[in-house]
Amino acid sequence: MEPFRIKAVEPIPFPTPDQRRTALANAGYNLFRVPARAITIDLLTDSGTNAMSAAQWSALLSGDESYAGATSFERFEAVVRHLTGYDEVIPVHQGRAAERILLGSLLRPGDISVSNTHFDTTRASVAATGATAIDLPVDTSTSTSFGGDIDLDALHALLDGQDGAHVRCVVLTVTNNAGGGQPVSMANVAGARALCNAFDVPLLLDASRFAENAYLITERDPDHAHYSPREVAHLTFSLADGCWASLKKDGVGNIGGMIALRDAELARRCRDQLIAVEGFPTYGGLAGRDLDALAQGLQEVTDPAYLRYRAQSTRWFGEQLLDAGLPVLLPTGCHAVYVDAAALLPHVPTHQLPATALANELYLAGAVRVSELGTLVFGRRDPGGGPDLPAPRELVRLALPRRVYTKSHLEYVVEVAAGVVAKAAEIPGYRIVEQADTLRHFSAVLAPALTPVA
Ligand SMILES: Cc1ncc(COP(=O)(O)O)c(C=O)c1O
């Protein structure tokens, strides 16, 4: 059960079927464009959607809003240093600002960043520097417990091959959000560390879900079963040279991010950029009160009782959806349940966006909002003007905001999903009408596919 009780509540909307159809059409069939007032259960993201604790709300009141040298920063810095062991702590307003600043300080045109999987915003930040992002996820058919691992053999081959000299950083995204929310094992972090030592390349963590990764290691790796999640997090950070994080996830905040590094010279370059785009280094685009709430959140998030509930409730939700007939990816991680839309909708071809089709149908059926992690997000536009190059998988993600929804909310989602499964064969595909050059899924305008689905 939830290891907390609820002190403040917020009503949720119940739009009618007609209102849902209108809202989706007005939004260009893109759930990012649907207003929150037309959503009943919002599983779009676990990012910034967390419910803060009473201790976090009270920490807000001790916020020091001094422009420079605020005590809120000192408290935040102390918590991050203690957690990560990195001396250089730089707050930013959210994860992508951290990526833009850190990768912008590290990468030059022609460089390579290699990762288990770059998240979409990370990939965009790599591309903005003129460098190339290469993903080397482990083959999940051979590794089910730690499906977030990087393929160490492929990493070795890359570092040792003709492109090796261009590799400027190795990035481990923990947990691997774009790769099904699966954890990265301690052995894999250690293996990547050894390769980075051998080839003199820095190892960085995208630590946005560091606590969930640490908990899943204690659950799935008998060698770490007796460690606390915080001890595992310490060990993970100790093997890397630095990290960035969106603190809208395991910071249990509504806004915030950070860069934390060992390398003082790299940190100096990051701070130079930070001042130009985010703000003075002791607030980095945040209010002092945000830093206090995040400092408290970063301490709460490794509570074993909270993490056990988080992992168990997500597993329960995944099992229920599976029983309802959705092809759920197993094992589930902590922050989301991922569904293979291509398996449910084999009649929708990739270029008609099966993951978008499933996501939109869940909205139409019950005002449940989820996100597509398929060709709309990860597909590549064909430079020759042909059909998009498809994403490796057509996933739909049902992300779970931290401490927000109860079991009965999730039971409602399961009922809605069962209804969608029952009419899966009739679900139409979509086509893209308008799109931006990067991160198109946030703003694209879509329409139901013109051609009847074969
Ligand atoms: C793994 C990962 N890295 C980076 C980001 C970007 O963080 P933000 O949304 O705070 O900019 C996200 C956001 O979802 C993420 O999941």
Side-chain angles (χ1 to χ4, degrees), residues 9 29 41 57 135 139 149 187 205 266 290 300 415:
V9 296
Y29 298 92
I41 303 287
W57 283 108
D135 291 342
D139 176 0
D149 283 355
L205 303 175
L266 178 58
D290 297 326
E300 286 174 11
E415 274 171 39

Short mmCIF file of all heavy atoms in Angstrom, two decimals, residues 9 29 41 57 135 139 149 187 205 266 290 300 415:
data_model
loop_
_atom_site.label_atom_id
_atom_site.label_comp_id
_atom_site.label_asym_id
_atom_site.label_seq_id
_atom_site.Cartn_x
_atom_site.Cartn_y
_atom_site.Cartn_z
N VAL A 9 -6.01 17.58 -1.65
CA VAL A 9 -6.57 16.88 -2.82
C VAL A 9 -6.94 17.89 -3.89
O VAL A 9 -7.11 19.07 -3.63
CB VAL A 9 -7.79 16.01 -2.46
CG1 VAL A 9 -7.40 14.89 -1.51
CG2 VAL A 9 -8.92 16.85 -1.89
N TYR A 29 -4.76 15.83 -32.96
CA TYR A 29 -4.53 14.42 -32.64
C TYR A 29 -3.17 14.20 -31.97
O TYR A 29 -2.57 13.14 -32.09
CB TYR A 29 -4.70 13.53 -33.88
CG TYR A 29 -6.12 13.63 -34.41
CD1 TYR A 29 -6.46 14.56 -35.38
CD2 TYR A 29 -7.13 12.84 -33.86
CE1 TYR A 29 -7.77 14.70 -35.82
CE2 TYR A 29 -8.44 12.97 -34.28
CZ TYR A 29 -8.76 13.90 -35.26
OH TYR A 29 -10.05 14.03 -35.67
N ILE A 41 -7.12 10.92 -16.15
CA ILE A 41 -5.92 10.38 -15.51
C ILE A 41 -4.73 10.70 -16.43
O ILE A 41 -4.70 10.26 -17.58
CB ILE A 41 -6.02 8.85 -15.31
CG1 ILE A 41 -7.25 8.47 -14.48
CG2 ILE A 41 -4.73 8.32 -14.66
CD1 ILE A 41 -7.18 8.78 -13.02
N TRP A 57 6.94 20.93 1.28
CA TRP A 57 6.17 22.19 1.29
C TRP A 57 6.70 23.11 2.37
O TRP A 57 6.80 24.32 2.19
CB TRP A 57 4.66 21.92 1.48
CG TRP A 57 4.00 21.43 0.22
CD1 TRP A 57 3.55 20.17 -0.03
CD2 TRP A 57 3.73 22.19 -0.97
NE1 TRP A 57 3.02 20.09 -1.31
CE2 TRP A 57 3.11 21.32 -1.90
CE3 TRP A 57 3.95 23.51 -1.34
CZ2 TRP A 57 2.71 21.72 -3.17
CZ3 TRP A 57 3.55 23.93 -2.61
CH2 TRP A 57 2.94 23.03 -3.50
N ASP A 135 23.63 5.10 -29.95
CA ASP A 135 23.04 4.28 -28.88
C ASP A 135 23.52 2.84 -29.03
O ASP A 135 23.43 2.27 -30.13
CB ASP A 135 21.51 4.27 -28.99
CG ASP A 135 20.90 5.63 -28.66
OD1 ASP A 135 21.60 6.45 -28.02
OD2 ASP A 135 19.74 5.85 -29.04
N ASP A 139 21.23 -6.18 -25.95
CA ASP A 139 20.17 -6.97 -26.57
C ASP A 139 19.25 -7.50 -25.46
O ASP A 139 19.66 -8.34 -24.66
CB ASP A 139 20.83 -8.12 -27.35
CG ASP A 139 19.80 -9.05 -27.96
OD1 ASP A 139 18.59 -8.79 -27.78
OD2 ASP A 139 20.22 -10.03 -28.60
N ASP A 149 21.11 -1.91 -19.63
CA ASP A 149 22.57 -1.91 -19.78
C ASP A 149 23.01 -1.42 -21.16
O ASP A 149 22.28 -1.54 -22.15
CB ASP A 149 23.11 -3.34 -19.61
CG ASP A 149 23.17 -3.77 -18.15
OD1 ASP A 149 22.88 -2.95 -17.26
OD2 ASP A 149 23.51 -4.95 -17.91
N ALA A 187 27.30 -4.06 -12.44
CA ALA A 187 28.38 -4.67 -13.23
C ALA A 187 28.57 -3.92 -14.54
O ALA A 187 29.69 -3.73 -15.02
CB ALA A 187 28.06 -6.14 -13.51
N LEU A 205 26.68 10.11 -16.11
CA LEU A 205 25.36 9.51 -15.87
C LEU A 205 24.28 10.53 -16.17
O LEU A 205 24.40 11.69 -15.77
CB LEU A 205 25.21 9.10 -14.40
CG LEU A 205 26.24 8.13 -13.82
CD1 LEU A 205 25.98 7.96 -12.32
CD2 LEU A 205 26.15 6.78 -14.52
N LEU A 266 35.92 21.66 -16.30
CA LEU A 266 34.68 21.47 -17.08
C LEU A 266 33.53 22.22 -16.40
O LEU A 266 32.71 22.87 -17.06
CB LEU A 266 34.38 19.97 -17.22
CG LEU A 266 33.10 19.59 -17.96
CD1 LEU A 266 33.09 20.14 -19.39
CD2 LEU A 266 32.93 18.06 -18.00
N ASP A 290 12.73 26.54 -4.58
CA ASP A 290 12.78 25.28 -5.35
C ASP A 290 13.98 24.44 -4.90
O ASP A 290 13.89 23.22 -4.78
CB ASP A 290 12.93 25.56 -6.85
CG ASP A 290 11.76 26.32 -7.43
OD1 ASP A 290 10.63 26.09 -6.97
OD2 ASP A 290 11.97 27.14 -8.35
N GLU A 300 14.45 12.29 0.56
CA GLU A 300 13.30 11.39 0.74
C GLU A 300 13.28 10.24 -0.26
O GLU A 300 12.81 9.15 0.01
CB GLU A 300 11.98 12.16 0.53
CG GLU A 300 11.63 13.06 1.65
CD GLU A 300 10.39 13.91 1.34
OE1 GLU A 300 9.69 13.66 0.34
OE2 GLU A 300 10.14 14.84 2.12
N GLU A 415 -9.52 -0.66 -16.70
CA GLU A 415 -10.85 -0.84 -17.35
C GLU A 415 -10.87 -0.18 -18.73
O GLU A 415 -11.38 -0.75 -19.70
CB GLU A 415 -11.94 -0.16 -16.52
CG GLU A 415 -12.51 -1.02 -15.42
CD GLU A 415 -13.43 -0.18 -14.52
OE1 GLU A 415 -14.17 0.67 -15.04
OE2 GLU A 415 -13.37 -0.38 -13.31
#
